[in-house]
Amino acid sequence: MDLFSHTWSALRTAVAGLAEADFARPSGCTGWLVRDLVCHLVIDAQDVLITLATPALTAPTRDAVTYWEVMGTPPTGDDPLDALVVRLAAAYQEPSLLTFHLDDVGSAAGRAARLADPDSRVGTRDQVLTAGDFLSAYVLEWTLHHLDLVAHLPHVAGPPPEGLARSREMLEAIAGAAFPASFSDEDALLAGTGRRAPTDAERTALGAMAGRLPLVLG
């Protein structure tokens, strides 16, 4: 749960430091500008608040790794929900309004996470997890989206190394195999989730694992 707070704080700090022009740059998410990604983070923060306020009485059905489902195809940006995010982001008109909303809802999500009992059970997406596992799953979400944020903004600080390392561990658990030691944590996450194509050398190092990539998470 400390890692949830650390990665979420780092991502929000990176957004808070963006220049107005940065919001119109592409992000690492197909079809989304940075402003669209930030709008999605507002929705993510709302999801955290809603889930932590949705207690469940039955046994957990998922954990931090099995929370994630591997989708069949990479996103194209044409999905109706993705398109809705673009329209919502445009409605803010000024980046300052968007960052204010993220700071407001994001701060509340951070406080709720710190107050949550990690052993309590919560419901989301018709599944039950402990609050601790739910928040651990979001470490991967924050880390991947932090990489998306800085994809075309080299002057903005990337995700913390602890989040990168833990996210790699989770992605390897989802894949059922470890990435080669020659891969940095960032490269494993980017190539592993289809955010960039593996180089020829990386594909050779991956061996049979290359045929199972990308792992498109949803």
Side-chain angles (χ1 to χ4, degrees):
M1 294 177 73
D2 288 343
L3 194 51
F4 171 95
S5 297
H6 185 40
T7 52
W8 184 220
S9 177
L11 179 51
R12 288 170 46 227
T13 297
V15 172
L18 295 177
E20 184 170 341
D22 293 334
F23 286 83
R25 297 288 302 279
S27 78
C29 294
T30 301
W32 280 1
L33 302 176
V34 167
R35 72 179 187 186
D36 306 321
L37 173 60
V38 174
C39 185
H40 174 74
L41 295 178
V42 173
I43 296 171
D44 270 349
Q46 291 172 339
D47 179 57
V48 171
L49 286 168
I50 291 168
T51 300
L52 292 180
T54 307
L57 300 177
T58 56
T61 57
R62 300 286 179 96
D63 60 24
V65 171
T66 57
Y67 168 84
W68 295 102
E69 296 181 358
V70 179
M71 314 301 287
T73 56
T76 63
D78 297 327
D79 180 86
L81 289 178
D82 291 345
L84 175 61
V85 169
V86 173
R87 293 197 296 273
L88 287 173
Y92 281 91
Q93 297 185 336
E94 296 180 9
S96 60
L97 298 176
L98 186 54
T99 54
F100 174 81
H101 196 184
L102 178 62
D103 182 63
D104 193 31
V105 181
S107 297
R111 289 192 299 271
R114 289 192 297 271
L115 293 170
D117 176 358
D119 295 323
S120 63
R121 299 169 185 175
V122 295
T124 183
R125 306 200 303 188
D126 296 323
Q127 301 292 340
V128 176
L129 302 88
T130 65
D133 273 335
F134 171 71
L135 295 173
S136 293
Y138 254 89
V139 171
L140 180 55
E141 176 83 354
W142 300 148
T143 301
L144 288 175
H145 281 328
H146 201 145
L147 291 173
D148 292 331
L149 179 75
V150 303
H152 300 281
L153 300 174
H155 59 285
V156 178
E162 303 92 336
L164 287 167
R166 176 57 183 145
S167 295
R168 177 185 184 148
E169 291 174 359
M170 284 193 280
L171 189 62
E172 289 177 336
I174 293 168
F179 288 92
S182 58
F183 279 57
S184 69
D185 294 337
E186 180 174 335
D187 286 334
L189 293 169
L190 292 174
T193 61
R195 282 165 164 81
R196 70 164 177 81
T199 65
D200 290 341
E202 288 173 337
R203 188 169 292 279
T204 298
L206 285 165
M209 189 181 182
R212 301 204 299 274
L213 301 180
L215 299 170
V216 181
L217 305 180

